[in-house]
Structure formats: structure tokens, C-alpha cells
Coordinates of all heavy atoms in Angstrom, one line a residue:
M862 N 43.0 12.2 11.4 CA 44.1 12.9 10.8 C 45.4 12.3 11.3 O 45.4 11.8 12.5 CB 44.1 14.4 11.1 CG 42.9 15.1 10.5 SD 42.8 16.9 10.9 CE 44.0 17.5 9.6
S863 N 46.4 12.3 10.5 CA 47.7 11.9 11.0 C 48.3 12.9 11.9 O 47.9 14.1 11.9 CB 48.6 11.6 9.8 OG 49.0 12.9 9.2
I864 N 49.4 12.5 12.6 CA 50.1 13.5 13.5 C 50.6 14.6 12.7 O 50.6 15.8 13.1 CB 51.2 12.7 14.2 CG1 50.7 11.6 15.1 CG2 52.0 13.7 15.1 CD1 49.7 12.0 16.1
R865 N 51.2 14.3 11.5 CA 51.7 15.4 10.6 C 50.6 16.4 10.2 O 50.8 17.6 10.2 CB 52.4 14.8 9.4 CG 52.8 15.8 8.4 CD 53.5 15.1 7.3 NE 54.9 15.2 7.7 CZ 55.9 15.7 6.9 NH1 55.6 16.1 5.7 NH2 57.1 15.8 7.3
E866 N 49.5 15.9 9.8 CA 48.3 16.7 9.4 C 47.9 17.6 10.6 O 47.6 18.8 10.4 CB 47.2 15.9 8.9 CG 47.4 15.2 7.6 CD 46.4 14.2 7.2 OE1 45.8 13.5 8.1 OE2 46.1 14.1 6.0
I867 N 47.8 17.0 11.8 CA 47.4 17.7 13.0 C 48.4 18.9 13.2 O 48.0 20.0 13.5 CB 47.2 16.8 14.2 CG1 46.1 15.9 14.0 CG2 47.1 17.6 15.5 CD1 46.0 14.7 14.9
A868 N 49.7 18.5 13.2 CA 50.7 19.5 13.4 C 50.6 20.7 12.4 O 50.7 21.9 12.8 CB 52.1 18.9 13.3
T869 N 50.3 20.4 11.1 CA 50.1 21.4 10.1 C 48.9 22.3 10.4 O 48.9 23.5 10.4 CB 50.0 20.8 8.7 OG1 51.2 20.0 8.5 CG2 49.8 21.8 7.7
V870 N 47.7 21.6 10.7 CA 46.5 22.4 11.0 C 46.6 23.2 12.2 O 46.2 24.4 12.2 CB 45.3 21.4 11.1 CG1 44.1 22.0 11.7 CG2 45.0 20.7 9.8
L871 N 47.2 22.8 13.2 CA 47.4 23.5 14.5 C 48.6 24.4 14.5 O 48.8 25.1 15.5 CB 47.4 22.6 15.7 CG 46.1 21.7 15.9 CD1 46.3 20.8 17.1 CD2 44.9 22.6 16.0
N872 N 49.4 24.3 13.5 CA 50.7 25.1 13.4 C 51.6 24.9 14.6 O 52.0 25.8 15.2 CB 50.4 26.6 13.2 CG 51.6 27.3 12.7 OD1 52.4 26.8 12.0 ND2 51.7 28.6 13.1
I873 N 51.8 23.6 14.9 CA 52.7 23.2 15.9 C 53.6 22.1 15.4 O 53.4 21.6 14.3 CB 51.9 22.6 17.2 CG1 51.0 21.4 16.8 CG2 51.1 23.7 17.8 CD1 50.3 20.8 18.0
S874 N 54.6 21.8 16.1 CA 55.5 20.7 15.6 C 54.9 19.4 15.7 O 53.9 19.2 16.5 CB 56.8 20.8 16.4 OG 56.6 20.3 17.8
I875 N 55.5 18.4 15.0 CA 55.0 17.0 15.1 C 55.1 16.5 16.5 O 54.3 15.8 17.0 CB 55.7 16.2 14.1 CG1 55.3 16.6 12.6 CG2 55.4 14.7 14.3 CD1 56.0 15.9 11.5
A876 N 56.3 16.8 17.1 CA 56.5 16.4 18.5 C 55.5 16.9 19.4 O 55.0 16.2 20.3 CB 57.9 16.8 18.9
A877 N 55.1 18.2 19.3 CA 54.1 18.8 20.1 C 52.7 18.2 19.9 O 52.0 17.9 20.9 CB 54.0 20.3 19.9
A878 N 52.4 17.9 18.7 CA 51.1 17.2 18.4 C 51.0 15.9 19.0 O 50.0 15.5 19.6 CB 50.9 17.1 16.8
H879 N 52.1 15.1 18.8 CA 52.2 13.8 19.4 C 52.1 13.8 20.9 O 51.3 13.1 21.5 CB 53.6 13.2 19.0 CG 53.8 11.8 19.5 ND1 54.4 11.5 20.7 CD2 53.6 10.6 18.9 CE1 54.5 10.2 20.8 NE2 54.0 9.6 19.7
K880 N 52.7 14.8 21.6 CA 52.7 14.9 23.0 C 51.3 15.3 23.5 O 50.8 14.8 24.5 CB 53.8 15.9 23.5 CG 54.1 15.8 25.0 CD 54.6 14.4 25.3 CE 55.1 14.3 26.7 NZ 55.5 13.0 27.1
R881 N 50.7 16.2 22.8 CA 49.4 16.7 23.2 C 48.3 15.6 23.2 O 47.5 15.5 24.0 CB 48.9 17.9 22.4 CG 49.7 19.2 22.7 CD 49.2 20.3 21.9 NE 50.0 21.5 22.1 CZ 49.8 22.7 21.5 NH1 48.8 22.8 20.7 NH2 50.6 23.7 21.7
I882 N 48.4 14.8 22.2 CA 47.5 13.7 22.1 C 47.7 12.7 23.2 O 46.8 12.2 23.9 CB 47.5 13.0 20.7 CG1 47.0 14.0 19.6 CG2 46.7 11.7 20.7 CD1 47.3 13.5 18.2
Q883 N 49.0 12.4 23.5 CA 49.3 11.5 24.6 C 48.8 12.1 25.9 O 48.1 11.4 26.7 CB 50.8 11.3 24.8 CG 51.4 10.4 23.7 CD 52.9 10.2 23.9 OE1 53.6 11.1 24.3 NE2 53.4 9.0 23.5
R884 N 49.0 13.4 26.2 CA 48.5 14.0 27.4 C 47.0 14.0 27.5 O 46.4 13.9 28.6 CB 49.1 15.4 27.5 CG 50.5 15.5 27.8 CD 51.0 16.9 27.9 NE 52.5 17.0 28.2 CZ 53.3 17.9 27.8 NH1 52.8 18.9 27.1 NH2 54.6 17.8 28.1
A885 N 46.4 14.3 26.3 CA 44.9 14.3 26.3 C 44.3 13.0 26.7 O 43.4 12.9 27.5 CB 44.4 14.7 24.9
R886 N 44.9 11.9 26.2 CA 44.4 10.6 26.6 C 44.6 10.3 28.1 O 43.7 9.7 28.7 CB 45.1 9.5 25.7 CG 44.5 9.6 24.3 CD 44.9 8.4 23.4 NE 44.5 7.1 23.9 CZ 43.7 6.3 23.3 NH1 43.2 6.6 22.2 NH2 43.5 5.1 23.8
V887 N 45.7 10.7 28.6 CA 46.0 10.5 30.0 C 45.0 11.3 30.9 O 44.4 10.8 31.8 CB 47.4 10.8 30.4 CG1 47.6 10.9 31.9 CG2 48.4 9.8 29.8
K888 N 44.8 12.6 30.5 CA 43.9 13.4 31.2 C 42.4 12.9 31.1 O 41.6 12.9 32.0 CB 43.9 14.9 30.7 CG 45.1 15.6 31.1 CD 44.9 16.2 32.4 CE 46.0 17.2 32.7 NZ 46.1 17.6 34.1
L889 N 42.1 12.4 29.9 CA 40.8 11.8 29.7 C 40.5 10.6 30.6 O 39.5 10.5 31.2 CB 40.7 11.4 28.2 CG 39.3 10.9 27.7 CD1 38.3 11.9 27.9 CD2 39.4 10.4 26.3
M890 N 41.5 9.8 30.7 CA 41.4 8.6 31.6 C 41.3 9.0 33.0 O 40.5 8.4 33.8 CB 42.5 7.6 31.4 CG 42.5 7.0 30.0 SD 43.7 5.7 29.6 CE 44.9 5.8 30.7
E891 N 42.0 10.0 33.4 CA 41.9 10.5 34.8 C 40.5 11.1 35.1 O 40.0 10.8 36.1 CB 43.0 11.6 35.0 CG 44.4 11.1 35.1 CD 45.4 12.3 35.1 OE1 45.0 13.5 35.1 OE2 46.6 12.0 35.2

């Protein structure tokens, strides 16, 4: 899904969706 689609599905802003995916990848690598 695109960032926009994720934001819509999760009912969050595009900025929040973008940031959560970035944080998830960092946490995943840790």
C-alpha cells in the first residue's frame, strides 16, 4: 500500500504513517 492508503486505512496523517514505517524499520533492525 502507498503511504496515503496506509494513512487512510489507519485513520492517521500521511506524516504519521511515514514516520511510523521509518520507526518500524529502525526498531526491526535493532
Side-chain angles (χ1 to χ4, degrees):
M862 294 179 83
S863 70
I864 300 301
R865 173 175 266 235
E866 290 170 326
I867 294 168
T869 301
V870 166
L871 298 180
N872 196 30
I873 58 177
S874 69
I875 291 173
H879 184 271
K880 195 64 174 173
R881 286 182 187 184
I882 293 170
Q883 285 180 329
R884 287 181 182 150
R886 287 191 54 121
V887 168
K888 287 275 190 197
L889 184 62
M890 291 185 346
E891 289 172 1

